[in-house]
Amino acid sequence: MVGFTGFASRRVDPSLPPLPPGQHFERGFPVLTAGPDPNIKVWELQLATETGQRSWSWEDFLALPQEDVTTDIHCVTSWSKLGTHWRGVSVDTLFEGLPTEHRYALARSYGGYTTNLPLEDLLGGKAWVVHTFEGAPLSSEHGGPARLFVPHLYFWKSAKWLQGIQTMATDRPGFWENYGYHNHGDPWKEERYS
Ligand SMILES: Nc1nc2c(c(=O)[nH]1)N[C@H]1C(S)=C(S)[C@@H](COP(=O)(O)O)O[C@H]1N2
Ligand SMILES: [Mo]
């Protein structure tokens, strides 16, 4: 049938997975940032648990095993993008050699943005620190040189300009979680606001 392309064909084709409730298809890539983009002088990625801490220079980071990820992304403001392509390092890889009993984590960005996640949402092949989007270096406005990428949760959990991750014994809300966004943010459960 002529006229049904893009999101329409995906929505009317029952063999394709549906969007989470309340979401609509977005072809572009909106930029959503609270405040100015940070000025990153020397990039370094840090990981801290109760058993120690590690940091990676840009070269160290790129020398880690890299993974390609193709997946949909969902923003709480109701847009979803389908089949986006990313490349980066699994958070599991970063945690190798840094065991933790903690159940929570706080991601911190250059510029001060934070977001909290249960550790189980960061581990087990569910989250990456990505530096490449659609085959090109991640642009600064989308969090380049590297951002956290947690595609199974609303996109505010994917901290742009990631500076580090620290584990926590007790949960503590991040930036948007403090302003009334849901503490968890599962789009399939419509965990938008608390
Ligand atoms: N450092 C930082 N990361 C951030 C944000 C931000 O303001 N600062 N906004 C979050 C929100 S609310 C969304 S929806 C996504 C938007 O990512 P995008 O601009 O690449 O679409 O980034 C998230 N990560
Ligand atoms: Mo957002």
Side-chain angles (χ1 to χ4, degrees), residues 32-33 74-79 113 154-157 176 181:
L32 288 139
T33 304
H74 312 289
C75 175
V76 72
T77 60
S78 89
W79 56 264
Y113 181 87
Y154 284 123
F155 216 34
W156 87 78
K157 297 288 185 181
W176 280 121
Y181 278 24

